[in-house]
Amino acid sequence: MAEIPDDEYILKTTSACAGCSIPLCLRYITKAAGPDTVLVIPACCTSVIQGLYPNTAVNIPVYNVAFASAAAVASGMSEAFRAAGKKTNVICFAGDGGTVDIGIQALSGALERGTDFLYVCYDNEAYSNTGMQRSGATPLGAATTTTPAGKKEFKKDLDAIVNAHNPVYMATACSAYPLDLYNKVEKALSITGPKFIHILAPCPPGWRYQSDKTISVGKLAVQSGMWVLYERENGKISLTGASKAAAKKRIPVEDYLKAQGRFKTASKEEISELQQAVENNFKRIEKEVDGTC
Amino acid sequence: MLNVGTGNKAVALAVRDAKPGVVAAYPITPQTEIVEEIANQVSSGKLGARYIPVESEHSAMAACIGVAATGTRTFTATSSHGLVYMCEMLHWAAGARLPIVMANANRALGPGWNIGAEHSDSMSMRDSGWLQVYASTVQEAYDATIIAFRIAENENVLLPVMINLDGFLLTHVTQGFETVDPSGFLPPTNTPHAIDINNPGGYGTLTANTDHYKFRHDIMVGMKNSVAVIEDAQKEFEKHFGRKYEMYEEYMTEDAEVLVIAMGTIGKEMEVAVDKLREEGVKAGSIRVRWFRPFPDLREKFEGKEIVVIDRDYSFGFGGILANELRAKTCCNPYSVIAGLGGQDVTYDDIAGFVRDRKPGEEFWFGVSE
């Protein structure tokens, strides 16, 4: 395991909601990246979390950009740093709406061009910044303010879309396992080219659980297999951390859903569809790990 | 060095000579040749820049924002739908005070699909905080591009500049033009708010109403300052290279009783119309507005004269946009002619006709019978 630096780049007084998992993600990402880093941030929770002008809770440059543009701005920045002979890390830090929905064109373009950057999507499975509306990343059965009876469609498979671009490195992570996230960011930034990390970031007001439960809800997501921790390098996938155990034995999806208020309206059929999706996903991953697919 | 080429090629060579660090662009007719020529220059090593072949115009401007944010000189080009697709990022570039230079091949907006010259695209970006200049010859397109970098990067301005060329009528017209070595004229880029790893901060962070209006006011001041900076840059350019430019171009205005006003290539056609009218005994003169933002002060020039304004654009529900700007700025009562939309032919004979048949205060749509 890597030695976690004592340096802090995220100050203690952010404007995040109580129990928000995003500052935790940012804290470990910036610890892994170090001070020679620029964060590029589209409209998302982090544009609020970083604080109100003229203050900032982030002690590295943070460049705020329009919603759909993060990956493209990062492309320009990365090329400009290279043109100037600098090795500065360029990290997009974007929510799920800015990634799977409005920002996907720019992300796809940047990945296809081989942009040397790290794109991090922190996924709280809704437009949480605007008060919890449905996004393409909202799971089946979850109630949001625009799907009050629960979402009727499955979550968009962002990782499959990103994987189709053949990035040099991609991984998933969860804010409940910050060391796993730290290691993945550190590894990603040691490689030149387009890197992608998808983090599940539980949201107390949006997911409707008590703010002290952020870590336990995140752990339930991984233990139930609703979220899988893995890395993909050179076309090979490998499970990491708690997902190695979850691949063999996992808790029922219902235990994860029951810990949150947003699935209260989910029907028995939807819960069983979600359980089935988890089983199918693990079968697919096992085949990939074996190299049989 | 003497060259023969199109307006597009002249812009691309000006970009080569201005030595940007990174160019990001997406092709669109009739701008395509600019992108192709720059890609050629980069691939042959004549331009030592990095070229980002982005997936859309929205991303082209976004990438330029990323480049300029690091304090590196950058350029892009677009046209018509590409420009309006960029709209959000145009506001962002100006709001972030980034000295981006962009060429826009003026073209109509659909539907129906029309690729001819029209100023509706750039005029719809009038209030985005970009400076706008309109060229009328291939030489002017080259020179304006070089000068634009100096203006945009001036620390009293720090606003993006759009060089406008009429689609096909200038982008695809071949003329002789001279290229220059602008190294003594264009100082290295020095963006005071470029990202500095050693002095980190938030750029464009959430800003309350207690501060937001101050930033808007700063843009207003930058735009105001730009008048003197443009005048100085154009004077310096004349000193270095001998070609003279002003906020607007006058022709036979001194003793004129009627002035015809336009922008872009029609502005050049007007001069021939003026010659014709003079032969007929009509005391005509012309003013071609070059800089539309900042808008020139023409009050003195207009005093005691009748005004004919030709607009290759229209603000639906209000009128010809140049005519309206002149009404607001000079209190004139022009004869407003809407002509040349979608690349419609407008000859010097037609222009002479507008002047002969002028009806002050009225609006006339050329070629439309009601």
Side-chain angles (χ1 to χ4, degrees):
Chain A
M1 195 188 80
E3 190 91 352
I4 309 288
D6 291 334
D7 302 331
E8 298 287 352
Y9 303 99
I10 307 301
L11 308 182
K12 290 192 176 85
T13 49
T14 70
S15 316
C17 303
C20 176
S21 60
I22 299 164
L24 185 64
C25 299
L26 267 178
R27 183 169 173 228
Y28 281 85
I29 290 169
T30 50
K31 274 174 179 281
D36 197 358
T37 300
V38 179
L39 285 180
V40 177
I41 294 186
C44 58
C45 290
T46 308
S47 38
V48 176
I49 290 169
Q50 66 188 313
L52 187 66
Y53 174 87
N55 300 310
T56 173
V58 183
N59 201 19
I60 55 172
V62 179
Y63 214 81
N64 288 264
V65 298
F67 209 0
S69 71
V73 171
S75 272
M77 229 172 243
S78 168
E79 291 293 334
F81 283 133
R82 282 175 78 176
K86 291 180 184 164
K87 287 193 78 82
T88 304
N89 298 313
V90 177
I91 302 180
C92 281
F93 191 69
D96 48 293
T99 304
V100 307
D101 293 336
I102 196 170
I104 200 161
Q105 175 183 283
L107 172 60
S108 173
L111 292 172
E112 183 268 334
R113 286 190 301 272
T115 304
D116 182 23
F117 78 141
L118 169 62
Y119 192 106
V120 177
C121 171
Y122 62 94
D123 188 351
N124 48 33
E125 303 193 316
Y127 291 91
S128 300
N129 185 15
T130 43
M132 207 62 191
Q133 296 80 29
R134 164 207 203 277
S135 85
T138 302
L140 175 76
T144 68
T145 57
T146 50
T147 55
K151 195 189 175 203
K152 298 298 167 212
E153 304 83 22
F154 275 99
K155 184 180 176 85
K156 191 190 279 188
D157 192 349
L158 174 66
D159 299 334
I161 296 168
V162 169
N163 184 41
H165 291 76
N166 284 318
V168 293
Y169 177 85
M170 68 180 283
T172 57
C174 174
S175 56
Y177 300 96
L179 301 187
D180 179 69
L181 170 63
Y182 176 91
N183 289 333
K184 286 167 176 171
V185 174
E186 194 180 47
K187 188 189 272 189
L189 291 175
S190 71
I191 309 168
T192 304
K195 286 88 61 177
F196 177 84
I197 296 178
H198 191 182
I199 309 175
L200 184 71
C203 165
W207 293 15
R208 300 180 202 165
Y209 62 79
Q210 288 299 313
S211 56
D212 60 343
K213 300 279 187 263
T214 286
I215 299 300
S216 62
V217 166
K219 285 189 170 169
L220 288 173
V222 174
Q223 288 161 358
S224 64
M226 276 289 279
W227 191 257
V228 183
L229 304 174
Y230 67 85
E231 292 184 295
R232 193 187 286 275
E233 287 176 281
N234 307 316
K236 276 204 74 173
I237 188 171
S238 46
L239 294 171
T240 66
S243 285
K244 285 185 194 164
K248 296 191 184 97
K249 189 166 182 266
R250 43 195 169 267
I251 60 167
V253 161
E254 205 167 354
D255 291 0
Y256 168 62
L257 305 186
K258 269 197 305 202
Q260 310 164 52
R262 62 174 172 157
F263 288 104
K264 266 193 182 144
T265 56
S267 65
K268 277 205 165 101
E269 291 74 28
E270 283 170 335
I271 294 170
S272 117
E273 276 187 74
L274 286 169
Q275 185 68 57
Q276 195 54 51
V278 166
E279 304 311 321
N280 293 344
N281 194 30
F282 268 106
K283 268 184 208 150
R284 195 182 68 180
I285 289 170
E286 271 165 32
K287 279 185 180 174
E288 271 201 75
V289 173
D290 288 349
T292 54
C293 73
Chain B
M1 190 179 149
L2 200 61
N3 285 266
V4 176
T6 61
N8 277 340
K9 181 155 186 199
V11 169
L13 293 191
V15 173
R16 174 201 65 188
D17 296 338
K19 297 188 173 64
V22 184
V23 172
Y26 189 77
I28 178 170
T29 302
Q31 156 266 37
T32 329
E33 194 188 357
I34 300 180
V35 178
E36 292 170 338
E37 183 62 33
I38 289 174
N40 263 328
Q41 296 287 340
V42 171
S43 117
S44 66
K46 287 177 190 153
L47 169 58
R50 302 185 76 88
Y51 171 67
I52 314 177
V54 280
E55 76 289 347
S56 77
E57 287 93 348
H58 193 278
S59 287
M61 187 46 61
C64 287
I65 286 169
V67 175
T70 72
T72 301
R73 184 173 288 164
T74 188
F75 173 87
T76 190
T78 192
S79 175
S80 180
H81 287 268
L83 185 76
V84 296
Y85 190 35
M86 272 181 190
C87 174
E88 179 187 32
M89 303 316 293
L90 293 190
H91 283 267
W92 207 281
R97 308 301 298 273
L98 297 173
I100 297 164
V101 173
M102 170 167 72
N104 177 55
N106 286 113
R107 181 192 130 179
L109 293 159
W113 282 119
N114 176 290
I115 56 169
E118 192 173 306
H119 294 167
S120 302
D121 54 1
S122 52
M123 290 292 187
S124 71
M125 301 301 150
R126 191 183 61 172
D127 304 328
S128 61
W130 280 63
L131 279 70
Q132 289 194 14
V133 62
Y134 290 76
S136 66
T137 66
V138 170
Q139 183 69 66
E140 191 184 354
Y142 176 89
D143 294 346
T145 306
I146 300 277
I147 296 168
F149 283 104
R150 179 166 161 140
I151 296 162
E153 292 168 8
N154 184 292
E155 62 174 19
N156 294 322
V157 179
L158 287 171
L159 285 169
V161 178
M162 188 189 302
I163 302 127
N164 290 280
L165 306 84
D166 283 344
F168 296 102
L169 302 173
L170 185 53
T171 59
H172 284 62
V173 160
T174 298
Q175 292 171 352
F177 66 101
E178 196 199 7
T179 58
V180 299
D181 172 6
S183 45
F185 170 78
L186 257 186
T189 318
N190 180 24
T191 311
H193 58 303
I195 289 171
D196 181 0
I197 299 297
N198 300 315
N199 184 22
Y203 297 80
T205 42
L206 198 62
T207 306
N209 56 4
T210 46
D211 288 301
H212 175 81
Y213 65 90
K214 295 175 193 164
F215 290 132
R216 299 302 106 173
H217 183 265
D218 282 350
I219 295 176
M220 184 278 287
V221 171
M223 193 56 92
K224 241 183 187 170
N225 291 343
S226 74
V227 177
V229 174
I230 291 168
E231 284 170 352
D232 172 73
Q234 293 182 157
K235 265 192 201 117
E236 280 299 308
F237 188 85
E238 187 188 357
K239 238 189 250 170
H240 277 81
F241 310 114
R243 288 188 291 278
K244 186 182 163 108
Y245 295 102
E246 297 192 69
M247 293 293 288
Y248 50 87
E249 186 180 63
E250 297 178 72
Y251 186 69
M252 313 266 291
T253 53
E254 205 121 288
D255 64 335
E257 287 165 0
V258 54
L259 289 178
V260 55
I261 322 287
M263 301 200 300
T265 50
I266 284 183
K268 219 58 184 164
E269 203 79 9
M270 287 186 319
E271 295 179 6
V272 186
V274 165
D275 289 342
K276 238 178 127 61
L277 289 161
R278 289 267 170 174
E279 279 169 28
E280 293 168 18
V282 181
K283 280 199 171 169
S286 72
I287 292 179
R288 177 171 67 86
V289 173
R290 295 186 67 245
W291 287 92
F292 180 72
R293 282 292 180 275
F295 199 75
D297 188 352
L298 291 162
R299 267 169 302 187
E300 260 181 45
K301 297 284 166 190
F302 278 20
E303 239 165 64
K305 294 177 171 59
E306 278 190 80
I307 306 296
V308 176
V309 183
I310 306 172
D311 265 290
R312 199 189 270 281
D313 54 67
Y314 199 71
S315 174
F316 297 103
F318 196 20
I321 297 171
L322 180 60
N324 284 335
E325 300 267 320
L326 289 165
R327 278 188 194 109
K329 203 79 179 174
T330 64
C331 298
C332 68
N333 185 33
Y335 179 50
S336 167
V337 180
I338 312 303
L341 302 186
Q344 180 196 35
D345 265 350
V346 184
T347 66
Y348 54 81
D349 273 330
D350 298 325
I351 296 168
F354 303 154
V355 176
R356 279 187 221 108
D357 303 338
R358 66 189 178 276
K359 296 179 190 76
E362 290 198 12
E363 181 179 289
F364 170 66
W365 280 67
F366 177 53
V368 178
S369 49
E370 289 183 27

